[in-house]
Amino acid sequence: MKTLTYIEAISEALWEEMERDKNVFLLGEDIGKYGGAFKVTKGFHEHFGEERVIDTVLAENAIIGAATGAAMMGMRPIAEIQFADFVSNGFNQLVNNSAKIFWRCNIPVPMVVRLPSGGGIHGGPYHSINPEAWFFHIPGLKLVAPSTPYDAKGLLKSAIRDNNPILYFESKFLYRRIKGEVPTNDYTVEIGKADIKRNGNDISIITYGTGVHWSLEAAKILEEENIDVEVLDLRSLIPIDKEAIFSSVKKTGKILIVHEDTLTGGIGGEIAALISDNCFEFLDAPIKRIASPDTPIPFAPTLEDHFLPNTKKVLSALKSLAKY
Amino acid sequence: MAKIEIPMPQLGESLTEGTIIKWNKKVGDTIKKDETLLEISTDKVDSEIPSSTSGVVSKIYFEEGKTVPIKTIIAEIETDASNVSQKDIPQKKEEVKQVETKIEIEKPISVSSPVQKLEKPQPGRFYSPLVLNIARTENISMSELEQIAGTGENGRVSKKDILAYVEAKKHGKVSSTISSSLSTQKIETTLKHVDSGELIKKYPQPQYEILQMSNVLQKMAEHMVKSVQTSPHVQAIHTCDFTEIAKFREINAIEFEKQEGFKLTFMPFIANAIVQALKEFPIVNSSVEGDKIILKKFINLGIAVASEQGLIVPVIKNAEEKNFLGIARNINDLALKTRTKKLQMSDIENGTFTISNYGVFGNIIGMPIINQPQVAILGTGAIKKQPVVINDAIAIRSISYFTLSFDHRIIDGAIGGQFLMSVIRNIENFNFKNAI
């Protein structure tokens, strides 16, 4: 095992997969000589050359369109969207082409779109969004959102080797803030499998991405009050691990869903509906959600702090559930 | 101003003396009419004696612990209207206190288990789908659910509460016993320590502790030894299937309580079945004097109850005249009186047959001793779910073990056995149309 930051784990996965499979290549804005806005691909250009690490024009529809075409031709492109907010420019390519081609033409589209997502870095309304819910509704795409270096590397490798178009939501807030153990040898994390990051019997938190860390901190604090919180990290949003969700619900009976994305239309609503449909008789309390309020994310740091979910908000929701 | 003499009261027709346990007033204290003057113990029951008049206690003739023949003057009260009326008011506080101490006899169930049971069920309370689900799989009825104290918001029963209840129930702490409302759940008899005398040398502290047997305890010892010496006890035991009655009770619990103001327990079903069986076998409702058998044309059904003061057997008088509902009401009245220490001598004498319900403690089989001069006693064990073979199939039924102890001087195994089966038949084939 070795200790890596979240961003190093992503870089390593890309590097190793490019070494392993010559069909894997990267494309995106400033990812070549510059090494990417967040330096994920620093050194890649020198090592793999400009044909496999391609600097593109500032046009996400072109990036995703090119990636889709290459994937159809048997390549395994990995497109970097500099900030996930910009993926909206490539929305039509993703939704109408990448997602549908296999279903319409029986041609697989093995591509990965990397989406540095989320706030907490004072990026303002155009550089902070969590766009997973836009695509959660689109059949044909797979969505993953790792929360640890281990999952980041293992899921990215699985995504690159998968034959479907995959959106890879990486938390830029976590890039250099967390470190974790990662195996030295080659490994993958199965897409579609959630992970219990903490075992508990009283309340389940269902979360992903940054939410996992707030949840784990809050759960730790509640240990002192003898409230035993389980933290289920979804890791994959599509396909979603229903079995893991249901078994956690059946275990605790009290559910808190935590995500950084805004509340209305967020994927928490779908999770709540799934639970209600399948586990109604196992519920001992209303399903609660912690999410950002329904506004664009503010630029001012104090307002941003107020806007985003955090450990304190999770803690207070857990306490009220415990009391219920 | 007038002097009123207070005699030792006669608490029952067969009693000739009483022991003064405690004076609640000293000489010089003012007392209101109906306020408790002293507590008296007889061989059957402890009673609080209210003052017949208002005034000032001027003389007390006997100290605590003395046994005094009835009608002997034990105290004197001077009445003085002007004097009394002024001091009347602050007395009220004390009165409230006494009400509190009277209720002490019934300890809440929580004393012996962490699971709280509510004194009154709470119908209309919200239950989460999970709690209802657990209740269904664990066979907890709605009426039972309504009695679980919730620790959640607004007293809601949480998953933890119901699981704790289920757990406690599994360990027999809340076993679904034949809970006559007469039962008290934990009995703490407070006996006085003996600190002097010959025995203290023989059994020195702290290795030993010597307690003075209370009046009631001494009489119990005497009665029990006498009974065993008098009657050759024989026991017959059989199971009694309460499944149908349990179902009926579950369905009708709320409606019954709404109508009658008290909970429907298993005890009236048992009492009713015994009354029917005694009518069929009159010899079981008798006593022996010399070489004569005294058949009694009335049925006074006693129900043995453990209380703080010791064993008490309140009696349902003329049970043969009462229908099911009448018996149920009578049992509830007696329960209330037992709880509030309001039992009169007339409530506990002249029993002709006794039920001993050790099932409240979770026991399944007991060997009760006959309450002399009666000739039989029925012991009822806890009702527990058991596998039972019915028509060559195994079924889960609510089963209680009944033990009949009978006096073989006049009742042989044939009569005793048939009587027991008759009681059980009456319970298992209870005609619910007659119930409510």
Side-chain angles (χ1 to χ4, degrees):
Chain A
M1 296 295 253
K2 56 184 168 182
T3 304
L4 295 182
T5 60
Y6 186 88
I7 196 165
E8 285 167 349
I10 294 170
S11 291
E12 267 201 18
L14 294 173
W15 190 281
E16 288 174 18
E17 288 305 294
M18 287 180 76
E19 292 277 20
R20 191 186 59 80
D21 182 352
K22 63 178 172 30
N23 289 322
V24 178
F25 72 100
L26 312 180
L27 70 168
E29 295 158 7
D30 287 335
I31 65 162
K33 281 183 181 162
Y34 184 66
F38 296 100
K39 303 296 175 191
V40 172
T41 53
K42 194 178 170 208
F44 279 57
H45 189 263
E46 290 86 339
H47 184 76
F48 294 105
E50 60 182 14
E51 288 200 341
R52 293 186 71 193
V53 185
I54 303 168
D55 275 322
T56 64
V57 292
L58 291 182
E60 283 72 17
N61 58 344
I63 297 169
I64 293 166
T68 306
M72 289 172 72
M73 299 307 291
M75 300 296 282
R76 292 191 176 266
I78 303 165
E80 178 182 301
I81 304 298
Q82 198 169 70
F83 284 82
D85 310 58
F86 311 154
V87 74
S88 53
N89 290 318
F91 195 74
N92 180 59
Q93 287 291 359
L94 272 175
V95 167
N96 276 322
N97 293 327
S98 320
K100 289 178 181 166
I101 282 167
F102 176 74
W103 303 87
R104 175 65 178 79
C105 310
N106 204 20
I107 300 169
V109 184
M111 62 183 277
V112 176
V113 181
R114 286 183 41 237
L115 298 154
S117 307
I121 54 148
H122 313 322
Y126 300 111
H127 297 82
S128 303
I129 213 162
N130 291 286
E132 60 270 20
W134 299 346
F135 302 101
F136 191 67
H137 187 62
I138 308 301
L141 299 174
K142 287 187 181 178
L143 277 53
V144 297
S147 69
T148 63
Y150 179 93
D151 291 341
K153 186 171 178 185
L155 275 174
L156 187 48
K157 286 189 163 218
S158 289
I160 294 166
R161 297 175 195 183
D162 197 284
N163 283 337
N164 295 280
I166 293 186
L167 306 193
Y168 182 89
F169 298 93
E170 51 195 64
S171 164
K172 52 187 187 287
F173 178 81
L174 296 178
Y175 271 165
R176 293 177 174 84
R177 278 186 176 78
I178 59 164
K179 283 186 176 177
E181 290 212 318
V182 174
T184 41
N185 56 332
D186 185 45
Y187 75 99
T188 57
V189 169
E190 194 184 341
I191 294 172
K193 284 274 180 256
D195 183 37
I196 297 171
K197 287 286 193 284
R198 183 196 162 95
N199 257 302
N201 290 308
D202 296 339
I203 305 171
S204 299
I205 301 181
I206 299 171
T207 185
Y208 58 92
T210 44
V212 172
H213 300 278
W214 304 319
S215 302
L216 287 172
E217 278 170 25
K220 179 93 184 141
I221 293 167
L222 282 182
E223 262 178 20
E224 284 172 22
E225 296 182 27
N226 264 333
I227 300 167
D228 193 13
V229 178
E230 175 150 306
V231 178
L232 183 71
D233 179 3
L234 289 173
R235 302 196 292 194
S236 293
L237 309 181
I238 299 285
I240 194 163
D241 192 347
K242 295 178 188 172
E243 209 175 296
I245 294 172
F246 299 159
S247 92
S248 189
V249 174
K250 286 173 186 175
K251 187 167 153 199
T252 65
K254 290 182 175 179
I255 308 300
L256 176 66
I257 299 164
V258 178
H259 58 56
E260 188 186 313
D261 189 13
T262 50
L263 184 74
T264 303
I267 73 169
E270 181 62 27
I271 296 168
L274 277 171
I275 293 170
S276 176
D277 266 356
N278 295 280
C279 303
F280 182 72
E281 296 198 345
F282 294 90
L283 287 175
D284 197 32
I287 303 167
K288 291 289 178 189
R289 287 181 293 166
I290 290 279
S292 294
D294 293 327
T295 69
I297 188 164
F299 181 66
T302 46
L303 288 179
E304 187 187 21
D305 288 347
H306 181 73
F307 171 93
L308 289 171
N310 53 37
T311 303
K312 215 172 131 192
K313 291 180 188 176
V314 173
L315 195 60
S316 121
L318 286 173
K319 280 182 176 172
S320 71
L321 270 177
K323 205 177 108 204
Y324 181 81
Chain B
M1 198 155 84
K3 283 182 185 173
I4 308 287
E5 292 180 327
I6 310 293
M8 170 61 77
Q10 182 171 16
L11 293 173
E13 277 172 28
S14 59
L15 288 176
T16 55
E17 56 185 25
T19 303
I20 297 165
I21 299 177
K22 191 184 164 212
W23 284 104
N24 286 28
K25 298 282 169 187
K26 313 188 288 286
V27 172
D29 284 356
T30 51
I31 188 161
K32 277 173 69 183
K33 189 169 188 286
D34 294 334
E35 202 182 335
T36 304
L37 177 59
L38 76 162
E39 287 170 32
I40 287 174
S41 172
T42 68
D43 64 344
K44 287 189 176 164
V45 69
D46 292 349
S47 295
E48 291 178 346
I49 308 301
S51 175
S52 55
T53 179
S54 294
V56 176
V57 179
S58 56
K59 274 184 185 133
I60 287 176
Y61 293 108
F62 296 95
E63 52 192 82
E64 292 172 2
K66 291 278 182 226
T67 303
V68 182
I70 55 163
K71 290 176 186 157
T72 311
I73 305 303
I74 53 173
E76 213 174 77
I77 292 176
E78 273 182 32
T79 59
D80 182 338
S82 61
N83 195 7
V84 172
S85 59
Q86 280 178 348
K87 293 185 179 178
D88 257 354
I89 301 138
Q91 297 277 346
K92 278 202 167 171
K93 256 190 188 169
E94 216 165 312
E95 226 178 357
V96 173
K97 257 191 204 162
Q98 285 185 351
V99 172
E100 279 167 4
T101 55
K102 275 179 198 163
I103 310 172
E104 265 180 359
I105 184 166
E106 200 189 40
K107 305 278 181 195
I109 294 177
S110 59
V111 173
S112 55
S113 99
V115 179
Q116 291 266 355
K117 249 187 153 181
L118 293 174
E119 277 174 26
K120 276 187 184 168
Q122 291 201 346
R125 195 165 53 163
F126 169 78
Y127 298 101
S128 74
L130 177 66
V131 167
L132 293 175
N133 193 12
I134 294 171
R136 191 172 56 234
T137 41
E138 297 292 339
N139 272 320
I140 294 168
S141 68
M142 203 61 204
S143 56
E144 205 176 343
L145 195 56
E146 281 167 359
Q147 287 176 44
I148 301 174
T151 60
E153 230 161 43
N154 300 322
R156 188 184 76 90
V157 175
S158 70
K159 172 189 167 193
K160 271 189 181 166
D161 295 333
I162 190 166
L163 287 180
Y165 181 84
V166 168
E167 197 55 28
K169 199 170 162 178
K170 271 183 194 152
H171 290 90
K173 287 185 181 156
V174 200
S175 86
S176 79
T177 48
I178 304 175
S179 61
S180 148
S181 50
L182 287 175
S183 65
T184 49
Q185 289 298 320
K186 191 181 176 186
I187 309 306
E188 283 173 13
T189 311
T190 43
L191 296 177
K192 283 186 184 129
H193 293 265
V194 178
D195 298 325
S196 58
E198 276 301 301
L199 278 179
I200 204 93
K201 285 176 204 153
K202 195 172 166 192
Y203 302 107
Q205 286 169 334
Q207 290 95 326
Y208 298 95
E209 190 185 352
I210 304 170
L211 301 175
Q212 179 58 50
M213 282 171 79
S214 66
N215 252 14
V216 172
L217 218 53
Q218 287 179 45
K219 291 297 174 185
M220 179 172 84
E222 202 177 290
H223 283 164
M224 291 303 145
V225 171
K226 196 177 135 208
S227 178
V228 172
Q229 286 170 348
T230 305
S231 304
H233 282 64
V234 178
Q235 274 89 17
I237 300 177
H238 200 275
T239 56
C240 183
D241 187 338
F242 274 90
T243 312
E244 295 307 317
I245 285 176
K247 269 190 217 157
F248 173 82
R249 201 170 144 253
E250 228 169 81
I251 294 164
N252 293 287
I254 295 169
E255 190 55 32
F256 184 91
E257 195 176 353
K258 219 187 274 171
Q259 215 173 80
E260 296 296 326
F262 61 90
K263 243 175 258 163
L264 179 60
T265 65
F266 288 104
M267 191 48 84
F269 294 96
I270 301 169
N272 184 65
I274 290 172
V275 171
Q276 301 313 315
L278 286 174
K279 286 178 184 169
E280 199 181 331
F281 298 89
I283 193 157
V284 183
N285 193 51
S286 72
S287 56
V288 179
E289 281 203 34
D291 60 354
K292 307 284 188 303
I293 295 170
I294 320 293
L295 291 177
K296 291 156 189 172
K297 301 293 181 186
F298 52 90
I299 297 171
N300 289 348
L301 194 57
I303 301 174
V305 178
S307 81
E308 203 176 285
Q309 315 160 36
L311 185 66
I312 298 183
V313 187
V315 171
I316 306 168
K317 289 280 162 67
N318 291 105
E320 81 283 1
E321 292 173 355
K322 294 178 172 129
N323 63 7
F324 176 81
L325 203 52
I327 288 174
R329 284 177 184 153
N330 204 156
I331 290 174
N332 182 60
D333 285 348
L334 290 171
L336 209 65
K337 282 185 175 175
T338 309
R339 269 204 294 275
T340 53
K341 280 193 180 179
K342 290 277 157 62
L343 282 177
Q344 302 287 312
M345 205 57 217
S346 58
D347 291 321
I348 60 170
E349 60 186 9
N350 285 330
T352 62
F353 185 92
T354 300
I355 305 171
S356 173
N357 175 18
Y358 37 76
V360 289
F361 306 111
N363 309 141
I364 58 167
I365 297 177
M367 300 288 167
I369 295 175
I370 295 165
N371 187 8
Q372 297 293 334
Q374 300 164 22
V375 293
I377 182 168
L378 183 79
T380 57
I383 300 178
K384 295 195 168 160
K385 293 213 164 158
Q386 285 189 4
V388 170
V389 177
I390 297 173
N391 296 334
D392 285 347
I394 295 172
I396 296 171
R397 309 286 288 180
S398 298
I399 299 295
S400 166
Y401 280 86
F402 278 13
T403 304
L404 183 77
S405 287
F406 54 91
D407 188 337
H408 212 319
R409 286 180 302 172
I410 59 164
I411 303 171
D412 59 20
I415 304 274
Q418 285 175 58
F419 172 79
L420 177 62
M421 294 317 291
S422 169
V423 172
I424 291 164
R425 219 171 25 247
N426 293 341
I427 287 174
E428 292 180 349
N429 301 314
F430 184 77
N431 186 352
F432 293 103
K433 278 180 199 155
N434 299 339
I436 295 173

